[in-house]
Amino acid sequence: MKNFAAIAALVMAVTITGCVSAPQNAPQTSNIGYPSTGTMAGQIPNMGSAAGMGGNVLGRSPMSTQAPSLINILVQQLGITPQQATGGAGSIFSMAQQSMSPNKFSLIGNAVPGMSKYLAAAPSMGASNSGGGGLLGAAAGVLGGGSSLGNMAMLANSFQSLGLSSSMMGQFIPIILQYVQTQGGSSTMGLLQGALMP
């Protein structure tokens, strides 16, 4: 009986070892239809070239992807809500629009997809006489729109109404300038920078 148990254990060990190693060393003989690892590895480059062909058919390079929106960039980098990102960007673009000629601002508007959405989301940048604007609103009223300090005070008031601190303006502006440069080139970015920081 001991010999039978030892032989049975040996047969089981050989069978299990053979089952484990057979797919790696032996050609596939079953009709299950699973590809061998070699076949699968051979298909991976073909899948990449198919993706590349799809990119070329669409007129894009294989590695290009759609650029993230300005809202997504602001939300990810600053940890704010999409509404705050849209309103804050809109406030900055609105301030630039007030200090630029329509022709120059149209260059920025053409470079930034959805500019009308940003401008519509911007809180009113006018100084509040009803006391709702607080200290920043009063400062904007005293300094007046048109001066760079007055514009910055109105922008800070606008940010405050979005639930953002005025210090966030300094974080928004570089991101927006970088985005405009990516979308419209350095000359378009220079127009916006000149309007925001005269």
Side-chain angles (χ1 to χ4, degrees):
M1 196 66 171
K2 289 182 183 177
N3 287 340
F4 178 76
I7 292 172
L10 181 62
V11 169
M12 290 295 287
V14 168
T15 303
I16 292 171
T17 305
C19 288
V20 170
S21 62
Q24 295 174 358
N25 299 327
Q28 183 175 344
T29 57
S30 71
N31 291 330
I32 296 175
Y34 295 119
S36 69
T37 54
T39 305
M40 289 173 60
Q43 290 175 352
I44 292 172
N46 294 337
M47 291 169 59
S49 58
M53 288 182 357
N56 291 335
V57 168
L58 297 173
R60 295 187 303 248
S61 66
M63 296 303 289
S64 71
T65 58
Q66 186 174 4
S69 73
L70 177 57
I71 299 306
N72 289 342
I73 295 168
L74 290 167
V75 166
Q76 289 173 1
Q77 291 191 17
L78 302 179
I80 56 178
T81 68
Q83 293 78 15
Q84 289 174 319
T86 307
S91 297
I92 289 170
F93 288 131
S94 180
M95 185 180 90
Q97 184 181 34
Q98 291 174 16
S99 61
M100 296 177 78
S101 72
N103 290 339
K104 287 183 178 179
F105 186 75
S106 70
L107 296 172
I108 296 168
N110 291 336
V112 177
M115 178 60 82
S116 59
K117 172 185 74 172
Y118 294 118
L119 294 174
S124 174
M125 293 198 44
S128 172
N129 291 330
S130 63
L135 185 58
L136 292 173
V142 169
L143 295 169
S147 72
S148 62
L149 287 177
N151 286 343
M152 284 299 174
M154 287 191 296
L155 183 60
N157 190 39
S158 180
F159 268 59
Q160 189 178 53
S161 69
L162 291 166
L164 298 169
S165 69
S166 58
S167 65
M168 290 293 286
M169 296 183 317
Q171 296 177 48
F172 265 72
I173 291 173
I175 294 170
I176 289 174
L177 289 173
Q178 178 63 45
Y179 181 81
V180 169
Q181 181 174 6
T182 301
Q183 296 292 342
S186 54
S187 62
T188 306
M189 185 273 289
L191 290 173
L192 180 59
Q193 186 174 19
L196 296 176
M197 298 176 263

